[in-house]
Amino acid sequence: MSKTELEVGAGYEVFNPPILEMQPGEPNHQLGRFFTVTALEDGGARVYDGAYDSGVSTVYLPDDIVSLLRFQKLDKSGETQFADLMTALASSAAAANEQRTLVAAHGTDKEAVDASHRFFTQFLSGQVKGLAAKGVINPNLAVVMTELATGVSLA
């Protein structure tokens, strides 16, 4: 594949995600199975793959790496974007309810509710990062949504 097949803002599924060497002193990075192209640059592409702890962090893929990737563009529409977001919310709520039930069996109701709230925000944050990596939502919007859900500033 080549960089000319990539489109800024589009999400892609990678069938052979490589381990990337980063700057000297930084650990290697396993490219995610999904990424969103944030910019095309001379000699490569900048992508967001959702694997970062804070803010929008991208990784640069030089043309020689892009040419080795086997990938396919993910289709998205307003309808599928909404459905994916609703699925993320529903699965986060279900996981939080399950967590509350587990904690309630061994603690107080207040502890169970607090644990449920924390678990919901953590789970939803992961879901939002995944949606951004798939190009369903803009990575910058993912940061804002995560900040709103958790109350923790990622900037």
Side-chain angles (χ1 to χ4, degrees):
M1 297 276 168
S2 73
K3 184 180 78 172
T4 58
E5 297 177 52
L6 297 175
E7 178 184 324
V8 173
Y12 295 87
E13 181 175 7
V14 182
F15 301 106
N16 61 336
I19 295 176
L20 304 170
E21 287 186 33
M22 304 306 283
Q23 299 293 331
E26 292 182 17
N28 292 340
H29 174 73
Q30 172 70 58
L31 185 66
R33 194 172 125 221
F34 299 97
F35 66 73
T36 294
V37 177
T38 60
L40 296 176
E41 301 173 358
D42 289 338
R46 191 156 295 281
V47 303
Y48 173 80
D49 68 355
Y52 303 96
D53 293 332
S54 62
V56 173
S57 296
T58 59
V59 64
Y60 178 73
L61 301 177
D63 282 340
D64 60 331
I65 298 292
V66 173
S67 68
L68 298 174
L69 297 179
R70 289 187 1 259
F71 58 85
Q72 109 182 356
K73 184 177 178 184
L74 299 169
D75 292 327
K76 62 180 176 178
S77 67
E79 205 172 275
T80 60
Q81 287 173 302
F82 181 76
D84 287 344
L85 188 53
M86 290 302 101
T87 299
L89 286 169
S91 61
S92 298
N97 283 336
E98 184 177 316
Q99 183 71 14
R100 183 177 63 219
T101 301
L102 291 172
V103 172
H106 303 289
T108 67
D109 287 344
K110 182 176 177 0
E111 290 171 333
V113 169
D114 288 345
S116 176
H117 289 173
R118 279 192 314 276
F119 195 80
F120 176 80
T121 59
Q122 291 169 344
F123 198 93
L124 181 59
S125 295
Q127 294 288 309
V128 167
K129 281 183 175 182
L131 293 174
K134 292 179 180 179
V136 174
I137 58 175
N138 179 296
N140 290 313
L141 177 60
V143 170
V144 172
M145 291 176 72
T146 302
E147 287 178 354
L148 289 172
T150 64
V152 175
S153 175
L154 300 176

